[in-house]
Amino acid sequence: MRTQVAIIGAGPSGLLLGQLLYKAGIDNIIIERQSGEYVLGRIRAGILEQVTMDLVDQAGVGQRMHEEGLVHEGIELLFGGQRHRIDLSALTDGKKVMVYGQTELTRDLMQARQDAGLTTYYSAANVRVHGFDGQTPSVTFEHEGQSHTLECDFIAGCDGFHGVCRASVPQGAITEYEKVYPFGWLGLLSDTPPVSDELIYANTPRGFALCSQRSLTRSRYYLQVPLSDKVENWSDDAFWAELRKRLDGEANERLVTGASLEKSIAPLRSFVAEPLRFGRMFLAGDAGHIVPPTGAKGLNLAASDVAYLSQGFIEYYSEKSQAGLDHYSQRALARIWKAERFSWWFTSMMHHFPEEGAFGQRMQEAELAYLVQSHAASTALAENYVGLPMQAR
Ligand code: FAS
Ligand code: PHB
């Protein structure tokens, strides 16, 4: 069995890369260890940057996103019991973000791949990557009791933080940078109308809270919880009662509670692997980096990696140029590190860090007060939130 690009992982990175390569006439096969239903069952990101929206359109799967997605021009910061709107569009010459769940984007990409008759091996076992430091890389795996070897020109490691690709790189060839935060996000999805028109990011003495949404009838909420906390400790009623304690009066009046469709705790970490290229294997998306979800950058960084990497493959196959592939790691990392900084900064400003003491709390309060009073500071938040340009200035 042979293909031009073997893609490991059918999350947003792998599926988006597969679709862009297909549109460019580049043969690719995706190997995914979970079932398609399992992949769709993960509830994750909700905010798309313009860069991601453009890429989804370029991949030819943007129709439902434009029909059902919600365009947002601002966010609200809640602290000291007061809400302050950050007018993202006014501060960034009209840029906007789209509320459209990662699950829906994944569904659109899966459907497009199926409609195009492209090969995806779901529920693949014992996936292993070989020979990527030479000229003849390959991937071995088991599927429905059969063992397979896939010969390829290149391997795209789109297999997430716990994947096999980064783990297959010799220790001496990779440098990892990591920060683990002393708390997690307890998320709840419910078929209830959103508490507000725009997202509310709350910094409260009880901890961070985020009011997000998936549509006008489906909401997504998050609460900062200790790392030691377990989702079993949280009944729906307990979740709603704690959320109420972290919201202002108006939001409390508007909050509609209901049964959880999904509830889970996600750990928060910042992580970057350098470089992102190892011979004929490239890492993209969560396989190469992780951000705390505060800045809504995880999915969007995966998209920009895929934009750079797909362009590199297209130049290689259509112009016989290695330039795009040779510069992929450096170009992607330049944008990744800026998003890592923003995500770390926003997380540090919005969450409760008891270990930082009273002085640390005062620093957060001063930073928030300065942020909402300073056009320059609000602009800095806004231009990072809507997404920095793909081409570094
Ligand atoms: P993914 O992890 O989505 O996909 C990798 C795929 O590879 C998976 O389907 C996996 O099953 C597969 N795989 C793994 N090992 C394999 C192997 N050995 N062989 C074959 N396949 C293998 N981002 C935000 O912007 N906002 C959020 O609120 C947010 N919440 C998140 C909550 C959680 C719990 C997690 C883990 C992430 C969250 N993220 C969020 C980030 C998330 O959206 C990622 O950025 C996004 O899924 C990245 O997509 P991929 O790079 O495709 O990685
Ligand atoms: C979400 O809706 O899942 C979401 C939105 C904004 C964030 C993080 C998560 O910053």
Side-chain angles (χ1 to χ4, degrees):
M1 187 165 45
R2 163 165 261 286
T3 189
Q4 289 174 304
V5 180
I7 299 173
I8 314 299
S13 297
L15 288 166
L16 189 53
L17 178 62
Q19 188 63 15
L20 290 167
L21 295 182
Y22 160 69
K23 300 285 275 186
I26 298 170
D27 188 46
N28 65 89
I29 288 178
I30 295 182
I31 300 162
E32 163 61 51
R33 76 173 167 190
Q34 304 290 0
S35 68
E37 295 70 31
Y38 184 93
V39 174
L40 282 174
R42 293 188 191 114
I43 305 302
R44 289 189 177 166
I47 301 292
L48 305 185
E49 296 174 355
Q50 187 64 52
V51 164
T52 306
M53 289 187 260
D54 295 345
L55 207 57
V56 170
D57 284 335
Q58 182 188 328
V61 298
Q63 183 182 340
R64 200 161 69 97
M65 174 185 71
H66 291 295
E67 286 168 358
E68 299 179 12
L70 302 172
V71 176
H72 279 206
E73 301 185 358
I75 59 172
E76 290 194 285
L77 303 182
L78 166 58
F79 59 93
Q82 296 294 319
R83 278 158 57 176
H84 305 263
R85 185 168 187 265
I86 303 291
D87 189 337
L88 299 172
S89 287
L91 291 164
T92 61
D93 299 329
K95 289 188 180 173
K96 303 171 175 65
V97 294
M98 170 82 80
V99 171
Y100 190 65
Q102 173 173 320
T103 305
E104 301 318 312
L105 176 58
T106 303
R107 197 189 313 278
D108 297 338
L109 287 164
M110 286 169 78
Q111 187 60 52
R113 188 167 182 85
Q114 185 180 323
D115 294 349
L118 301 180
T119 304
T120 308
Y121 287 95
Y122 283 101
S123 304
N126 296 323
V127 180
R128 296 285 177 273
V129 291
H130 312 276
F132 52 82
D133 52 352
Q135 297 307 307
T136 53
S138 63
V139 181
T140 55
F141 62 98
E142 288 147 31
H143 184 258
E144 294 176 352
Q146 297 284 319
S147 295
H148 297 276
T149 298
L150 176 61
E151 313 284 340
C152 53
D153 297 338
F154 298 100
I155 296 171
C158 299
D159 50 347
F161 185 67
H162 301 289
V164 67
C165 292
R166 190 181 74 247
S168 300
V169 174
Q171 272 304 316
I174 192 167
T175 304
E176 298 184 351
Y177 302 84
E178 184 168 38
K179 176 182 178 59
V180 177
Y181 296 85
F183 43 74
W185 275 20
L186 168 64
L188 182 145
L189 187 72
S190 59
D191 272 339
T192 56
V195 71
S196 61
D197 297 339
E198 296 175 328
L199 274 59
I200 302 176
Y201 290 81
N203 172 318
T204 85
R206 298 182 68 89
F208 170 81
L210 170 59
C211 302
S212 184
Q213 49 195 265
R214 290 293 179 271
S215 69
L216 296 179
T217 59
R218 179 166 286 193
S219 299
R220 178 75 169 159
Y221 294 101
Y222 295 98
L223 296 174
Q224 173 186 350
V225 293
L227 261 185
S228 56
D229 214 337
K230 300 271 182 281
V231 68
E232 302 80 57
N233 299 340
W234 287 90
S235 66
D236 291 0
D237 289 346
F239 183 95
W240 296 120
E242 182 58 34
L243 177 64
R244 285 192 179 282
K245 291 172 184 168
R246 302 188 191 185
L247 294 180
D248 60 297
E250 181 197 343
N252 257 299
E253 277 171 29
R254 287 190 57 176
L255 181 65
V256 176
T257 64
S260 60
L261 303 172
E262 188 268 356
K263 210 166 33 184
S264 56
I265 294 180
L268 270 65
R269 77 174 77 237
S270 300
F271 173 86
V272 180
E274 287 188 352
L276 296 176
R277 176 188 191 174
F278 306 90
R280 287 182 168 258
M281 183 168 78
F282 298 82
L283 302 181
D286 278 17
H289 45 77
I290 295 285
V291 285
T294 321
K297 291 294 160 230
L299 176 56
N300 292 296
L301 271 184
S304 50
D305 290 354
V306 165
Y308 294 131
L309 185 55
S310 59
Q311 195 50 44
F313 283 133
I314 291 167
E315 287 172 15
Y316 176 84
Y317 284 107
S318 59
E319 303 161 22
K320 298 285 177 270
S321 161
Q322 300 251 13
L325 293 177
D326 290 347
H327 290 105
Y328 163 69
S329 181
Q330 179 192 354
R331 289 175 74 195
L333 284 166
R335 195 168 196 270
I336 289 161
W337 277 113
K338 293 188 182 86
E340 289 282 348
R341 181 212 64 83
F342 172 67
S343 303
W344 159 81
W345 168 79
F346 203 14
T347 301
S348 304
M349 186 172 69
M350 295 306 293
H351 289 73
H352 189 50
F353 291 82
E355 68 280 12
E356 295 294 324
F359 181 79
Q361 181 62 30
R362 282 284 187 271
M363 285 298 97
Q364 276 190 349
E365 290 165 6
E367 174 130 35
L368 284 160
Y370 168 64
L371 177 68
V372 298
Q373 289 160 4
S374 159
H375 184 271
S378 299
T379 302
L381 187 159
E383 66 181 12
N384 279 279
Y385 194 91
V386 299
L388 297 178
M390 286 292 282
Q391 313 309 333
R393 274 176 277 196

